[in-house]
Amino acid sequence: MPEAPRLVALALVTVGALMAISALTSRLTGRLGVPLLLVFLVIGMVAGSDGAGIDFENFELAFQLGTLALVLILFDGGLNTAARDFRAGLKPAAALATVGVIGTAAVVSLAAWLLGMDGHHAALLGAIVSSTDAAAVFSVLRGSGIQLRKRVGITLELESGLNDPMAVLLTVAFTQVLLGSRELSAWLALEVLGELAIGGVGGALVGYGGRALLLRAKLAAGGLYPVLTLALAMIAYGLPTLLHGSGFLAVYVAAVIIGNSKALPYRAGLLRVHDAAAWVSQVGMFLVLGLLVTPLRLLDVAPLGVVIALVLAFIARPAAVALSVLPFGYGGKELLYLAWVGLRGAVPIILATYPVMAGEAGAVETFHLVFVIVVVNAIIPGSTIRWVTDRLGLRSAEPPPPAAVLEVTSTEQLTGKVLAFHVDKASAACGVAIRELPFPPETTVMLIVRAGAMVAPRGDVTLTPDDHLYVVTTTTDEPLVRLIFGQQEEM
Amino acid sequence: MKLVDILEPGRIVHRLTATTKSAALRELVQRGVVPPEANTELGVADEEQIVRVLEERERLGSTGIKDGLAIPHGKLERLDQIVACLGLAPQGIDFGALDGQPSRIFIVLLAPESAGGLHLKALARISRVFSDSSLHKRLLDAPDVDTVWSTITTEDQRY
């Protein structure tokens, strides 16, 4: 066989095998409470230069792949964020994403400086690890079956979606200071505000433009709609970035606007494609970052990294939370939870590749230090999240996974909606016959799934605990329907 | 079913003082569901169980439905008939409502375990009567319990 096809085949087998192992071992996280990112990182490390021998040292490619992955993860997160949640959590999340990021960076920098790093490198390190990670937070909060009380969950998710821009801006600025290409000045603050403003406005423009486009475009095949939304995700990042705005903020804002469109064509299918894209991104990104690291070099920086990670978990994050969200009236337990769950993930590692690419001396060491901090952070607090959620009583009722997913597919703008519910014994509808449901004329039960069987919703069928119910209704009647059944399932 | 059949003036809390969701549920039960002055088959001894039943339902999703209206509800084995109480909080309480707005009008509904159909009818009735936002304003502006009660009896006859 000629050399080139053989190499491609070998690369595909290797990547395929690594991705398959990552997907298959994901179940471990549920059993052992280990965050997924740690599993994927370790698989990458084991496959890397000090393990199975895959020699991957391309920081630039890792940065490019990482950026694309973050764009897809943030876009997926935004698509699944309800507008009302966005509005409700925006103020505290914005405070955490700005004041909180600066506070975290300041405390970590101070600790690193006290531990012997020079001032500039300490400041750079603080900036790199200052933002929580959307992939880590989304996967812990959405992917692990933890149903957090709404307000806390929304704040954490929004924060992770919004705080990357600030960390990116600080990292780039401090790298430039280290390279002597800029001076630290008050202009930095204005620059940050400008980039956030351009990102926010750019994201809103792409979001509303994309929404209108999706409504009007009549594409040749249903499968082309995800192509259009993926394109919008990339444009939402690229355009504002080219205009010196925050691309990450823009992607998130655009996705929230598109996701909340009342008539998104092929909604369920689109969301599934983006969910899959986000998972592929997560697996791929952490594998690549695991491959990039040289495990033996980690040993050199491990003691310092562990100490800084502990400072981050026990001092920096709580201080940042106290500084930024105290005025928003959270309860003691909620504050404690916000202070504890400041998960770091791929963002700091990707940011740490930036000084390496810029050719900053000592950047490779910083990269490995950041890697240690993220890994320790995945264990403390990462692996304690489930336990802490229960101890603080912040877990809300957890419906079993939906029995079936029903989708009404249409490129037309249909009025009405299909909602799915799980019948709990605390629900008012439990034990009631279908004919007794006091539904308005436009609302009806269309299907019951009971113990793996589809049950026709005839009038004499009595609802029992653990039934899954599919109701067709209108926006006007939705509050009453939700009041009657209570536990809505995701569709 | 009319609201006056399940509600009475002794079960109206003119001003709730709670500021959180869990405190509001407890205050509604203490001052509206089991107060000594209400004509009731429920007593102070039932307080904990009632609060627990209401909290279990809230865990499924907030009963704060929209426009400041919340209808916490649940089933109790030892009840013979449906019991309701009304509480007003013009200052608004974060009840995790579906529309993200603070809740100001609270109607607690407790039904016998065996009366599922009636329970649902009462929920639908309350949600219909209170769909009129001008009623919310009149109730929140009412200076005392008597005015609240007469406003409700008048409104009840309209539907």
Side-chain angles (χ1 to χ4, degrees), chain A residues 329-366:
Chain A
Y330 286 89
K333 286 179 179 177
E334 291 175 322
L335 274 179
L336 209 58
Y337 195 78
L338 291 174
W340 187 238
V341 186
L343 296 175
R344 266 68 192 169
V347 175
I349 307 179
I350 291 168
L351 287 181
T353 61
Y354 185 77
V356 179
M357 289 185 304
E360 195 276 315
V364 175
E365 191 184 332
T366 307

Side-chain angles (χ1 to χ4, degrees), chain A residues 84 397 427 430 482-483 486, chain B residues 57 59-60 73 75 98 117 120:
Chain A
R84 63 168 175 264
S427 155
C430 187
R482 288 171 69 158
L483 186 70
Chain B
R57 170 58 187 81
R59 272 165 39 87
L60 305 183
H73 59 271
K75 298 175 210 166
L98 304 178
L120 293 182

Side-chain angles (χ1 to χ4, degrees), chain B residues 23-90:
Chain B
L25 284 175
R26 186 163 289 279
E27 189 180 359
L28 281 161
V29 173
Q30 279 174 344
R31 294 178 61 197
V33 181
V34 296
E37 63 271 26
N39 176 19
T40 183
E41 57 184 305
L42 297 168
V44 177
D46 299 306
E47 182 185 319
E48 287 306 323
Q49 194 197 348
I50 298 170
V51 170
R52 195 172 57 245
V53 163
L54 296 178
E55 282 180 342
E56 270 170 21
R57 170 58 187 81
E58 292 302 320
R59 272 165 39 87
L60 305 183
S62 176
T63 57
I65 46 175
K66 62 172 185 174
D67 302 332
L69 175 66
I71 315 177
H73 59 271
K75 298 175 210 166
L76 274 184
E77 221 165 78
R78 61 175 296 266
L79 265 184
D80 291 331
Q81 56 186 11
I82 291 181
V83 170
C85 93
L86 170 77
L88 301 171

Side-chain angles (χ1 to χ4, degrees), chain A residues 81-310:
Chain A
T81 303
R84 63 168 175 264
D85 294 347
F86 188 79
R87 283 192 290 271
L90 184 60
K91 283 182 189 166
L96 277 168
T98 48
V99 180
V101 165
I102 294 170
T104 307
V107 175
V108 171
S109 304
L110 181 67
W113 179 69
L114 289 172
L115 289 165
M117 280 180 91
D118 72 85
H120 282 144
H121 278 100
L124 176 63
L125 181 70
I128 288 174
V129 299
S130 61
S131 82
T132 56
D133 184 73
V137 171
F138 289 166
S139 80
V140 166
L141 298 185
R142 291 183 181 174
S144 63
I146 293 178
Q147 299 281 318
L148 262 187
R149 282 206 194 154
K150 215 168 183 183
R151 194 169 174 219
V152 188
I154 288 164
T155 308
L156 282 168
E157 286 195 3
L158 270 184
E159 178 204 7
S160 70
L162 294 173
N163 66 9
D164 297 337
M166 182 66 99
V168 172
L169 297 173
L170 291 178
T171 302
V172 172
F174 284 128
T175 304
Q176 288 168 345
V177 170
L178 272 172
L179 292 170
S181 60
R182 78 175 292 161
E183 297 276 316
L184 260 189
S185 71
W187 283 110
L188 179 61
L190 274 181
E191 211 174 294
V192 167
L193 286 177
E195 296 211 12
L196 292 177
I198 294 171
V201 173
L205 289 176
V206 175
Y208 283 114
R211 198 154 125 164
L213 189 65
L214 281 162
L215 269 181
R216 284 170 187 75
K218 297 277 179 249
L219 304 183
L224 286 172
Y225 284 90
V227 177
L228 195 52
T229 47
L230 285 166
L232 287 169
M234 292 175 201
I235 292 168
Y237 173 80
L239 267 186
T241 307
L242 289 173
L243 299 169
H244 300 287
S246 167
F248 289 124
L249 178 61
V251 167
Y252 191 69
V253 169
V256 173
I257 292 167
I258 292 170
N260 282 282
S261 170
K262 284 203 174 107
L264 197 59
Y266 300 107
R267 169 179 285 276
L270 271 181
L271 294 182
R272 193 125 352 252
V273 168
H274 281 281
D275 183 44
W279 275 112
V280 171
S281 301
Q282 259 202 75
V283 173
M285 176 174 66
F286 287 120
L287 279 177
V288 165
L289 295 174
L291 280 171
L292 197 60
V293 83
T294 314
L296 292 177
R297 293 188 75 155
L298 290 177
L299 295 177
D300 299 337
V301 291
L304 182 60
V306 170
V307 175
I308 293 178
L310 295 178

